[in-house]
Amino acid sequence: MSTPPPAPRFKHRIEYACFRAMVALVRALPLETASNAMGWGWRMFAPWSSRHRRALANLQAALPEKTEAEREAIVRAMWDNLGRVFAEAFHLKTIMDEGRLELESKFSDLLPADRCFIACAPHLGNWELGSASLVVTGANTAGVFQRIKNPLIDAYVYRLRAPFYPGGLIAKHESAARKLLQHARHGGAITTMVDLRDNFGLPVPFFGRPAPSSPFPAIAARRLGIPLFAGWVVRLPGVRFRAGLIRIEVPVTDDIDADVATATANLHRAIENAVRAHPEQWMWAHRRWG
């Protein structure tokens, strides 16, 4: 079993009160107003942070053909997108109820009939809708979440996300992989984010540089014999979104390690292509490479 969150302290309660006040404000606003306002705020103030410089450096290394002005515009648009994602996280039900999430034409057809698969996504567009795009096709998705240090905020955010993971949300822990595999063995689907640095992962190419990446998706797909997909949810005008999907080749030979390395590289090539198509919607501020 995963370790339970720590008991809340006085400072946690103060932080939680401030958090709930902010949530109340965001929820009181119409969806588009909240998204626009938070996007504007992040675009205006985030560039003053050190993360802005890191994002520019990552972008320069990944897309050296871009001019300085183009890189600045992309990173400012990235902050705008992140602000919108934050606001939209408190309006996910509205987004789904109002049909603001559409699927690419062959999205459902790509998925296996038994809806047993593993789907991997980057922090692109509004990734909070990734699992929802699979649930509407009948998939019983399970995923992993990173606990927030404040246990009160952590519990609130968990309740917000849980309805979009009918198979369960599992706290990031050494036992999480085992629980996800067990879920898939019982016919469920696994969803996971794969664009964060994994210090114990495989150094696969990502924008021309080795990026330590989790081999878990490839291992799970090969071990269980289930399809592996790369997916994404991109932002459209008017607080609308489109979900896409592509199947990833997972070789099966006598060399398991080589198969996993190849499939992991194939997966990140697909993720890279999605980011190249929408660079202003990806989180360049991550320490992806170093």
Side-chain angles (χ1 to χ4, degrees):
M1 296 178 64
S2 60
T3 304
R9 300 177 181 177
F10 179 72
K11 71 171 185 177
H12 291 150
R13 298 185 187 282
I14 297 297
E15 291 171 352
Y16 183 63
C18 295
F19 172 78
R20 287 303 302 268
M22 178 183 59
V23 170
L25 175 61
V26 172
R27 282 193 152 176
L29 296 172
L31 169 59
E32 293 195 16
T33 302
S35 178
N36 292 339
M38 199 63 70
W40 178 87
W42 282 53
R43 177 189 283 267
M44 290 297 295
F45 296 105
W48 295 95
S49 71
S50 61
R51 288 177 176 268
H52 186 76
R53 295 188 294 273
R54 183 195 301 164
L56 286 172
N58 283 339
L59 185 57
Q60 182 176 13
L63 300 176
E65 70 277 9
K66 299 291 185 183
T67 66
E68 182 178 350
E70 288 172 331
R71 291 193 294 271
E72 182 69 30
I74 289 172
V75 175
R76 286 181 179 268
M78 174 201 76
W79 290 125
D80 182 278
N81 182 70
L82 288 176
R84 290 175 180 275
V85 171
F86 178 84
E88 292 156 3
F90 306 105
H91 289 273
L92 293 178
K93 186 176 185 301
T94 299
I95 291 172
M96 297 305 297
D97 289 348
E98 294 183 357
R100 291 173 177 265
L101 174 64
E102 63 182 59
L103 309 182
E104 291 185 357
S105 59
K106 296 183 179 180
F107 188 97
S108 297
D109 294 339
L110 288 172
L111 297 173
D114 63 4
R115 294 299 190 260
C116 182
F117 57 86
I118 179 166
C120 308
H123 289 82
L124 182 75
N126 191 328
W127 59 90
E128 295 286 359
L129 294 166
S131 184
S133 69
L134 298 166
V135 171
V136 297
T137 71
N140 180 25
T141 60
V144 174
F145 74 99
Q146 178 68 55
R147 286 198 182 279
I148 299 170
K149 290 183 179 180
N150 185 314
L152 298 173
I153 297 177
D154 179 73
Y156 183 92
V157 173
Y158 177 90
R159 291 194 298 270
L160 205 64
R161 291 172 170 167
F164 302 101
Y165 294 85
L169 264 177
I170 303 166
K172 189 175 182 180
H173 185 266
E174 59 185 15
S175 64
R178 175 179 54 79
K179 292 179 180 179
L180 289 175
L181 289 172
Q182 184 178 27
H183 175 70
R185 287 191 179 99
H186 287 85
I190 299 172
T191 62
T192 182
M193 310 301 294
V194 292
D195 58 340
L196 298 179
R197 179 184 176 91
D198 183 341
N199 291 327
F200 302 100
L202 299 174
V204 299
F206 190 63
F207 284 93
R209 291 187 290 163
S213 305
S214 172
F216 172 74
I219 291 173
R222 192 187 183 286
R223 179 181 298 178
L224 301 179
I226 58 177
L228 173 63
F229 294 95
W232 50 85
V233 178
V234 297
R235 181 177 302 281
L236 303 176
V239 194
R240 305 188 70 85
F241 309 90
R242 179 183 298 121
L245 203 65
I246 185 172
R247 184 160 180 171
I248 304 302
E249 180 183 357
V250 180
V252 179
T253 71
D254 293 335
D255 191 335
I256 297 176
D257 291 341
D259 292 345
V260 169
T262 298
T264 303
N266 291 343
L267 173 61
H268 284 81
R269 187 179 305 113
I271 296 298
E272 178 182 324
N273 289 338
V275 174
R276 283 184 180 275
H278 305 278
E280 75 287 353
Q281 297 188 29
W282 189 61
M283 291 180 64
W284 292 97
H286 278 162
R287 293 187 182 278
R288 185 65 183 94
W289 295 271

